[in-house]
Amino acid sequence: MALSDDLRAIQEQVGKRLRAARTLAELDQVRVGSLGKKGSLTAIMRSMGSVPKEERPAMGRLANTVRANVERAIAMRKEELSQEALAAKIAAEEVDVTLPGRRLSLGTQHLISQIREEIEDIFCDLGYTVEDGPYVETAYYNFTALNAPEDHPSRSAKDTFYVADNAPEGKGVSVLGESDVLLRTQTSGVQVHVMEEKEPPIYMICPGTVFRPDTADANHLPQFTQVEGLVVDKGITFGDLKGTLDHFCREIFGKDRATRYRPHFFPFTEPSCEVDVSCGVCGGAGCRFCKGTGWLEILGCGMVDPNVFTYVGIDPETYTGFAFGIGVERVAALRYDLPDLRMLMTGDMRFLRQF
Ligand code: DAH
């Protein structure tokens, strides 16, 4: 009986092809090839009408059995392949919890920010407030109210970045006094703002960025950081200034460092000094770092000039005060023996990670 042979052959062939199928897609091809619209089994079912009537029931049963077998075989193989696929997926996604983790590199504060905050802490512990001021200033706050004469060289465009806005048509800003608006060259102007706004007693510092038209080299940066300090109260003396700044130097550089106060000139203080600390490299004996002097200059200071008080309406007969200006990059350079200030600006992680 040819048809029954065909049915058995199909069952056998499907079984073989199922064993050969490696993926669910291949399995589906087997299903379509046998049970699909144009499948081999479907074709036989369709031809059942041409089977002689008396053979039809037996042939029909056989055909149904074969179809049921094929369907079951496909379902079983499908289950097997799904399990295999799942196992493969799990294996591929397996996490080896014993592998060493990837190290996260933690960021830190920039050295300048660290020192700036350290200075803030020292003065906050003494009861000072931390003030802020604008980067873009007028000549009044940066110079005039700080008692700098109209012809003071620091006002020239060689030493100050002027903002061109106020310059007369076509003239640029290179000539003294053409523009009134500038990038502050010092944080000292914040003293004026604070004294205008607050009544004494004033105990304040102002850390901040300042700008000067200097070419960057080992000792200069066109943009750097200062911490301004100002005290205004009744009965403030040079002794208070010295006690405060000696305390600051010891906190920043260590208890064993000596200080010395050298007379100097600043327009806004009288008398004025520059303060040196004893060299940490040679202990004061003299070496290359301190250029043989045993001392390193670290800040400028002085007693507030009565003229400055007059500009802001504080009575110099009632109040006295002192002021100081610290270069933060300079403190960094002295504390860590940095040979070149530009190292602080380049963002080289090999350098910055040391702090
Ligand atoms: N403003 C000065 C500078 O940039 C630093 C300074 C010196 C500030 C003496 C002061 C001071 O308040 O009293 O060089």
Side-chain angles (χ1 to χ4, degrees):
M1 233 187 338
L3 202 56
S4 59
D5 287 348
D6 284 353
L7 281 168
R8 286 195 194 92
I10 286 173
Q11 182 169 320
E12 205 173 298
Q13 195 196 22
V14 168
K16 252 193 224 160
R17 287 178 62 196
L18 282 179
R19 279 190 294 282
R22 288 276 145 249
T23 64
L24 288 168
E26 285 173 20
L27 177 80
D28 209 47
Q29 281 171 13
V30 179
R31 184 188 61 75
V32 171
S34 51
L35 300 174
K37 260 192 207 159
K38 293 179 184 164
S40 49
L41 209 47
T42 313
I44 289 192
M45 299 299 246
R46 279 208 189 106
S47 68
M48 209 52 89
S50 58
V51 173
K53 212 174 171 197
E54 61 282 13
E55 290 176 15
R56 222 177 275 161
M59 201 53 67
R61 270 197 301 279
L62 180 61
N64 280 337
T65 310
V66 166
R67 191 169 65 178
N69 287 347
V70 164
E71 279 173 352
R72 193 169 346 103
I74 289 174
M76 279 166 61
R77 186 68 183 136
K78 186 172 184 180
E79 179 63 21
E80 268 174 30
L81 288 178
S82 305
Q83 292 292 344
E84 276 174 25
L86 183 64
K89 189 164 184 244
I90 290 172
E93 288 176 2
E94 192 180 32
V95 175
D96 182 354
V97 293
T98 65
L99 279 176
R102 283 195 200 99
R103 230 172 225 290
L104 285 180
S105 64
L106 274 187
T108 55
Q109 265 190 321
H110 191 276
L111 179 60
I112 292 303
S113 305
Q114 287 177 36
I115 294 179
R116 175 185 158 150
E117 282 193 8
E118 206 177 316
I119 296 175
E120 285 178 15
D121 285 347
I122 294 170
F123 285 100
C124 284
D125 284 351
L126 296 177
Y128 285 53
T129 60
V130 179
E131 308 289 344
D132 205 5
Y135 286 3
V136 179
E137 271 291 14
T138 57
Y140 178 80
Y141 286 98
N142 199 74
F143 295 120
T144 309
L146 289 164
N147 202 34
E150 282 300 319
D151 59 353
H152 196 276
S154 65
R155 288 183 182 248
S156 79
K158 204 168 74 54
D159 288 325
T160 299
F161 282 119
Y162 282 92
V163 177
D165 290 351
N166 290 0
E169 247 342 74
K171 278 203 155 183
V173 290
S174 58
V175 183
L176 192 70
E178 277 181 355
S179 171
D180 190 39
V181 184
L182 48 84
L183 295 186
R184 68 180 180 191
T185 60
Q186 51 186 356
T187 43
S188 301
V190 181
Q191 290 184 24
V192 182
H193 287 291
V194 172
M195 285 190 284
E196 279 179 350
E197 282 156 25
K198 292 188 181 174
E199 296 286 316
I202 292 168
Y203 290 79
M204 64 137 247
I205 56 165
C206 169
T209 310
V210 298
F211 308 87
R212 290 184 195 175
D214 285 327
T215 305
D217 64 23
N219 301 311
H220 299 87
L221 294 173
Q223 173 183 324
F224 55 101
T225 317
Q226 285 188 333
V227 178
E228 190 73 19
L230 174 71
V231 167
V232 184
D233 207 344
K234 288 178 181 156
I236 296 292
T237 67
F238 197 92
D240 297 312
L241 176 156
K242 192 165 180 300
T244 305
L245 294 179
D246 279 355
H247 169 73
F248 162 76
C249 291
R250 279 195 299 268
E251 288 289 306
I252 280 283
F253 294 106
K255 300 257 175 271
D256 52 335
R257 304 288 280 270
T259 54
R260 108 179 149 174
Y261 290 68
R262 249 183 315 103
H264 198 75
F265 173 80
F266 296 105
F268 34 91
T269 44
E270 182 60 35
S272 306
C273 294
E274 276 186 339
V275 179
D276 302 333
V277 285
S278 55
C279 177
V281 175
C282 61
C287 68
R288 263 179 45 202
F289 192 63
C290 59
K291 300 198 180 78
T293 63
W295 296 97
L296 301 162
E297 179 214 320
I298 87 131
L299 58 84
C301 62
M303 301 305 289
V304 180
D305 192 300
N307 287 345
V308 175
F309 282 145
T310 309
Y311 270 107
V312 293
I314 290 178
D315 179 8
E317 297 298 324
T318 314
Y319 290 104
T320 50
F322 65 81
F324 54 89
I326 304 163
V328 179
E329 283 77 4
R330 189 151 180 83
V331 171
L334 296 188
R335 197 149 88 168
Y336 298 107
D337 305 346
L338 305 184
D340 192 323
L341 288 185
R342 288 170 296 187
M343 294 166 89
L344 293 165
M345 304 301 278
T346 50
D348 185 334
M349 291 308 290
R350 290 167 301 182
F351 168 71
L352 292 173
R353 276 213 187 92
Q354 299 171 64
F355 305 104

